[in-house]
Amino acid sequence: MSTKMRCLISREAIARRVTELGEEINRDYAGRDLVMVGVLKGAFIFLADLVRELTFPVEIDFVRLASYGGGTSPSGEVHISKDVELSLKGRDVLIVEDIMDIGYTLSFLKQHLATHLPRSLKICCLIDKRERREIEVPLDYVGFVLEQGFLVGYGLDCGEKQRTLPEIFVIEKG
Ligand code: IMP
Ligand code: MG
């Protein structure tokens, strides 16, 4: 079996969509006390591009999550391996994630960050991948909706490889 990579979302299409998401966030949060919480590692490029579209000051923090079992068959048990360091209490918080697949990660993270008592808690996710969804978590800002496929590039990895590609590719097994 060989694997091929096909470009699915070009640099230009990503940049256009990130600009649009930034415009929405500017409209919704201007003048508010916003903390953007990126989910390491996958969201680091998306977050870096998104915050540079913002026209008001925000603070940035990161969490790192790990799922027991790992690999391509997540067990559904997610835990925090690095928590936020800023205080979120009484503040507007926007989670920034690369991709929602089964839903365990964002479901867990939203519940976890709620315990930090933010004033509001929303999610901005670059890709909403629907086929394997088991837990629905409302996504407040979505870049692209996709039915299926394993994606790499623009922060997304396959076993730590291909994160740094500027486009988003789908891996095709043939
Ligand atoms: P889930 O929604 O709990 O399945 O977890 C989503 C996480 O799985 C994401 O943060 C990614 O780390 C990883 N993931 C899911 N689908 C893909 C993909 O197509 N490419 C790369 N990582 C993925
Ligand atoms: Mg991830």
Side-chain angles (χ1 to χ4, degrees):
M1 193 170 67
S2 64
T3 55
K4 273 199 312 210
M5 290 191 357
R6 179 169 57 84
C7 182
L8 193 69
I9 311 174
S10 68
R11 293 169 92 129
E12 294 73 25
I14 295 170
R16 266 198 307 276
R17 194 68 194 111
V18 171
T19 299
E20 289 168 359
L21 290 171
E23 286 167 358
E24 282 186 57
I25 293 167
N26 283 329
R27 271 200 304 276
D28 296 349
Y29 287 97
R32 305 260 293 267
D33 178 25
L34 180 61
V35 183
M36 316 249 303
V37 176
V39 185
L40 293 171
K41 302 177 195 173
F44 83 109
I45 294 179
F46 176 40
L47 177 70
D49 283 346
L50 186 61
V51 295
R52 284 177 290 171
E53 298 293 333
L54 303 183
T55 52
F56 64 102
V58 298
E59 292 182 22
I60 309 292
D61 209 339
F62 292 95
V63 291
R64 175 127 169 81
L65 302 172
S67 56
Y68 299 109
T72 51
S73 53
S75 65
E77 286 182 66
V78 182
H79 69 111
I80 299 262
S81 61
K82 183 225 164 296
D83 204 349
V84 285
E85 291 163 31
L86 297 174
S87 170
L88 304 183
K89 194 167 178 194
R91 312 183 72 183
D92 294 302
V93 174
L94 184 59
I95 297 169
V96 180
E97 172 63 312
D98 54 358
I99 185 165
M100 182 176 183
D101 183 14
I102 296 170
Y104 292 143
T105 305
L106 281 171
S107 157
F108 171 85
L109 182 60
K110 203 168 178 194
Q111 286 176 47
H112 171 75
L113 292 182
T115 68
H116 287 260
L117 305 176
R119 173 177 183 263
S120 70
L121 180 57
K122 291 192 173 179
I123 301 174
C124 176
C125 189
L126 182 65
I127 297 159
D128 177 7
K129 188 168 78 174
R130 311 238 19 115
E131 191 192 24
R132 306 203 303 161
R133 184 69 37 82
E134 288 179 20
I135 305 177
E136 280 302 345
V137 182
L139 299 178
D140 304 280
Y141 305 89
V142 181
F144 302 95
V145 179
L146 194 86
E147 219 20 67
Q148 58 182 56
F150 196 85
L151 308 182
V152 293
Y154 199 69
L156 293 151
D157 73 306
C158 181
E160 294 301 327
K161 305 290 186 222
Q162 275 119 16
R163 254 190 227 292
T164 57
L165 298 172
E167 301 89 9
I168 295 174
F169 291 82
V170 61
I171 294 185
E172 292 177 332
K173 295 197 164 83

